[in-house]
Amino acid sequence: PDSDPDPQPETDVDYYAEISTTTPYNQNFDAIGTAQIANLPIGWKLEKRLDAPRTLGTFAEASKTTEQLGGNNLASNTKNGTYNFGAGVAGQATDRAIGGVSTGIAGGTRCINIYTKIKNTGNENIDSLSITYDIEKYRKGLNAAGFRMQLYYSTDGTNWTSAGNNFLTSFPADNATEGYATAPGEMVHVTAKLNTGIAKDGFLYLAWNSSVISGAD
């Protein structure tokens, strides 16, 4: 026959970041470049949820690419969804970040999830994790409830547990819905211990949920 066989479904068997008791894992996102549709580093995925804020999906169903491009001066009517952000001019800045824009518009993005899958490739069990990251804010929002970024963890990429208040970053409502002349407009550094380990050859999934603090929008 001259037709191609049915494509095999995509799997994430070998799609993970590596860590051990002797080798820490570090990741910035500068290597994804300045494309609107950018490929994420190995082990990372993004998801926009249309159903509800503060809602997590599954690692398997999330995307390995971004949808939009952003940086300085994000307009109030900018597209919602997942983003490749540049710290400066959107299509030129070499300092990159991943995330997204949510909205209260009907049928739009209610929250953004950033996922990573980590494998312990060392020779010993990992008893706990010291996690450090920066939350960068690229756009203001008028929603009176304010906004938050909460970290979750999972052993299967489907069932999630909150990492607690040490991994919760909150922002109050702004006086406008608009971008920053110089992005990002705010940055919060987070570093804390997660009392969850990874067995030798085992996996751990992390998920950052970016959402309004309360309410349905």
Side-chain angles (χ1 to χ4, degrees):
D2 59 8
S3 61
D4 292 330
D6 292 338
Q8 295 299 306
E10 184 179 15
T11 65
D12 294 312
V13 173
D14 299 318
Y15 190 76
Y16 53 79
E18 298 183 20
I19 195 173
S20 73
T21 56
T22 58
T23 305
Y25 173 71
N26 297 285
Q27 183 65 65
N28 64 39
F29 299 94
D30 299 349
I32 69 175
T34 58
Q36 176 178 330
I37 301 174
N39 294 317
L40 300 181
I42 296 295
W44 290 84
K45 289 189 172 186
L46 275 170
E47 176 189 45
K48 63 180 182 183
R49 302 288 302 183
L50 307 183
D51 47 354
R54 302 176 300 283
T55 302
L56 293 163
T58 67
F59 181 85
E61 294 178 350
S63 174
K64 296 178 181 178
T65 60
T66 59
E67 294 178 319
Q68 307 294 342
L69 191 65
N72 294 343
N73 298 308
L74 278 173
S76 60
N77 63 346
T78 192
K79 292 182 179 179
N80 60 85
T82 64
Y83 267 76
N84 173 7
F85 288 118
V89 178
Q92 300 177 16
T94 57
D95 182 358
R96 313 305 298 185
I98 60 172
V101 174
S102 58
T103 181
I105 296 172
T109 302
R110 291 297 180 262
C111 65
I112 298 291
N113 292 316
I114 304 170
Y115 298 105
T116 187
K117 178 183 179 181
I118 305 168
K119 182 178 183 179
N120 177 4
T121 56
N123 297 318
E124 301 177 273
N125 295 339
I126 295 173
D127 296 327
S128 62
L129 296 171
S130 177
I131 301 177
T132 296
Y133 54 88
D134 293 330
I135 302 297
E136 296 180 340
K137 189 176 176 187
Y138 280 77
R139 184 166 170 250
K140 302 175 185 178
L142 272 171
N143 194 306
F147 306 90
R148 58 147 226 185
M149 181 79 80
Q150 174 69 64
L151 176 65
Y152 295 81
Y153 63 94
S154 170
T155 58
D156 59 10
T158 299
N159 300 289
W160 301 94
T161 300
S162 172
N165 288 336
N166 288 339
F167 295 100
L168 171 64
T169 302
S170 300
F171 298 94
D174 297 295
N175 58 6
T177 297
E178 62 187 11
Y180 295 95
T182 302
E186 296 186 54
M187 192 274 285
V188 177
H189 181 76
V190 178
T191 184
K193 182 179 179 180
L194 181 65
N195 291 313
T196 296
I198 314 176
K200 179 181 177 296
D201 294 325
F203 294 93
L204 185 71
Y205 298 79
L206 301 176
W208 289 262
N209 173 262
S210 174
S211 181
V212 69
I213 291 175
S214 62
D217 285 345

